[in-house]
Every structure is written in structure tokens, then in C-alpha cells.
Amino acid sequence: MATDAARITGKVQGRDIVLAGPLSKDEIRDTVWWWPDPGSKTAGEKESEAHEYDHSHKDVIATLGGYYEVPDSSRTSEAEELVDLVYTELHFEA
């Protein structure tokens, strides 16, 4: 019997996020933190970007274990823990 791929959803910076396994950790990170990181852009690139992080949104990923808030940067230890958790749930084999 075929099983459906694991799916994790969320609402991040006003955008609905769907993560369907299997995904690599980099693919997860790129999907969840889709807005540009201001530290990695030049001044000209920052001016031309359409979206920067907006703290007025509540960013949440819903997994089997519950709801997890998404940090504003993918470079924090909390972000790494969230990526690891999502990766584990997407690659769970019964």
C-alpha cells in the first residue's frame, strides 16, 4: 500500500508554506526563510528587494508535535532546531 508523503504547513510572513517530504535541510531552510537576509545583501540589492522581515506577522510552522514559532533569521540556534525537527518529521518512516 502506498503512503502519502509527509506534509508540514505553516504561515510565514503572510505566505502559506507547505513542506512535503522528502526535502533536504537546505530546501527546508530556503522554503521557510524565503525573504532575503539583510546581512547577505549589498546596499543596492537591499533597496531593490520587495520584501524584508516584518515583525507584525506571527510566523508559525505546524508539525505533528505542535506549533512552532519561526525565528526571523535562519542563522539562529532556534532556527536550526526547527529545521532539524521538520527534517525528522518529513523523513519519518513507519
Side-chain angles (χ1 to χ4, degrees), residues 42-55:
T42 66
E45 289 173 324
K46 286 180 189 176
E47 289 178 15
S48 68
E49 294 294 343
H51 184 85
E52 292 182 10
Y53 188 80
D54 177 1
H55 288 278

Side-chain angles (χ1 to χ4, degrees), residues 26-49:
D26 285 336
E27 290 170 320
I28 293 167
R29 201 172 284 106
D30 290 345
T31 303
V32 174
W33 288 274
W34 54 267
W35 59 92
D37 179 357
S40 66
K41 302 290 181 183
T42 66
E45 289 173 324
K46 286 180 189 176
E47 289 178 15
S48 68
E49 294 294 343

